[in-house]
Amino acid sequence: MNFILTDSYEQMSETAAEFLTEELNRKPSAVFALPTGSTPIGTYRALARLNKEGKVDFSQGNFFNVDEYVGLSRESEQGYYHFLYENLYRHVNVDLEKTHAPDGTAENPEQAAEQYEQMIDGLGGLDAAFLGIGRNGHIGFNEPADSLHYATYCVTLTQSTIEANARFFRNEGEVPKQALTIGMGTILKAKKIILVADGDDKEEAIHRLWEDTSLRTDFPVSFLRLHPDVTIITTIK
Ligand code: GLP
């Protein structure tokens, strides 16, 4: 696991954007998983600038949301597809036909999860998984649990995650209790993994990741240790 320590949020974001740009320039039709949250917003802003400057072309790339809330549609303002549309897609020359999120409104979420996994597999799997991290060590919505899931699945969110994400809703009660997330296997099969972490509430998780080499299902991010090409870009010392 390669750690890159940056001095500021801006520097972290620029560094992550460079990694993603390099990947897209190397393989214009690359398949990406993209996260939501406050942390990657700066990276998306940097990517939009690089796209306007003609330094990166999104038109052939394939982009998959890492996760989506159950019950929220593509148009829903708190939904994760909408987040990526607002923060990235509408600012770059992406082909919207090649942007995907799990179907949060599907009657059968398990089936929607399976279809999503098949769609990623059909394109040859992820070339790069771009990730944030939850304060409890979750990646995507792979929450701490007795066991982890291999493929995309429907997860019941932990109270810690509901509280952390309540800021995007009018109140905690409005946060969906379930989500669809790409699984740990989907992530670990990606050729490259890039994770960004910033802020006091992530300090404990990043320190733990740094110091503790055990693989623990109650700390899902620890499984990234199994992957040969992981870069953690962080402002956390
Ligand atoms: C949510 C998302 C994760 C994201 C995490 C951290 O739980 N499902 O993919 O990494 O939030 O978000 P933030 O960057 O806002 O702390």
Side-chain angles (χ1 to χ4, degrees):
M1 222 154 38
N2 176 26
F3 279 87
I4 298 181
L5 188 57
T6 57
D7 289 333
S8 64
Y9 177 79
E10 283 67 34
Q11 206 192 330
M12 177 194 80
S13 304
E14 290 294 330
T15 308
E18 274 166 33
F19 266 85
L20 297 169
T21 295
E22 201 181 297
E23 195 56 27
L24 208 42
N25 284 340
R26 191 185 60 77
K27 184 177 176 188
S29 63
V31 182
F32 289 84
L34 297 178
T36 58
S38 312
T39 319
I41 288 178
T43 308
Y44 296 147
R45 218 180 287 137
L47 285 172
R49 195 198 66 237
L50 290 165
N51 183 237
K52 288 214 168 57
E53 291 170 357
K55 295 189 176 132
V56 62
D57 172 28
F58 281 76
S59 64
Q60 292 174 61
N62 297 279
F63 303 93
F64 287 83
N65 267 62
V66 162
D67 42 23
E68 181 59 280
Y69 286 114
V70 167
L72 299 192
S73 72
R74 274 190 164 218
E75 289 74 34
S76 164
E77 274 184 32
Q78 282 110 349
Y80 280 176
Y81 180 82
H82 187 264
F83 175 97
L84 274 164
Y85 179 78
E86 281 300 319
N87 287 288
L88 181 66
Y89 301 153
R90 78 185 181 93
H91 305 288
V92 295
N93 70 330
V94 74
D95 175 356
L96 288 177
E97 297 282 318
K98 294 178 191 284
T99 63
H100 311 278
D103 183 359
T105 60
E107 240 170 72
N108 183 340
E110 312 295 342
Q111 204 178 3
E114 218 177 295
Q115 281 165 357
Y116 199 61
E117 189 71 22
Q118 278 167 10
M119 217 192 305
I120 295 173
D121 270 352
L123 289 167
L126 298 173
D127 289 292
F130 177 38
L131 303 170
I133 180 173
R135 56 190 185 189
N136 62 3
H138 75 229
I139 47 178
F141 266 138
N142 290 277
E143 293 276 45
D146 290 342
S147 63
L148 297 174
H149 287 247
Y150 185 74
T152 304
Y153 76 111
C154 181
V155 58
T156 298
L157 301 176
T158 61
Q159 186 55 28
S160 147
T161 296
I162 290 173
E163 280 166 22
N165 291 351
R167 67 189 194 279
F168 297 112
F169 295 81
R170 270 185 305 190
N171 55 59
E172 205 180 294
E174 275 191 8
V175 184
K177 306 284 176 286
Q178 288 188 310
L180 291 161
T181 181
I182 61 172
M184 286 303 296
T186 329
I187 293 171
L188 289 171
K189 279 190 291 179
K191 296 189 182 75
K192 186 187 270 298
I193 298 175
I194 298 140
L195 185 150
V196 282
D198 168 64
D200 295 349
D201 58 337
K202 305 294 167 63
E203 226 176 83
E204 201 183 317
I206 292 298
H207 286 166
R208 185 171 171 191
L209 187 59
W210 205 317
E211 287 152 16
D212 182 357
T213 55
S214 57
L215 304 179
R216 298 184 57 106
T217 61
D218 65 3
F219 190 52
V221 69
S222 64
F223 279 77
L224 295 189
R225 288 196 176 280
L226 294 173
H227 195 280
D229 188 354
V230 179
T231 304
I232 316 266
I233 308 169
T234 183
T235 55
I236 298 166
K237 295 195 172 65

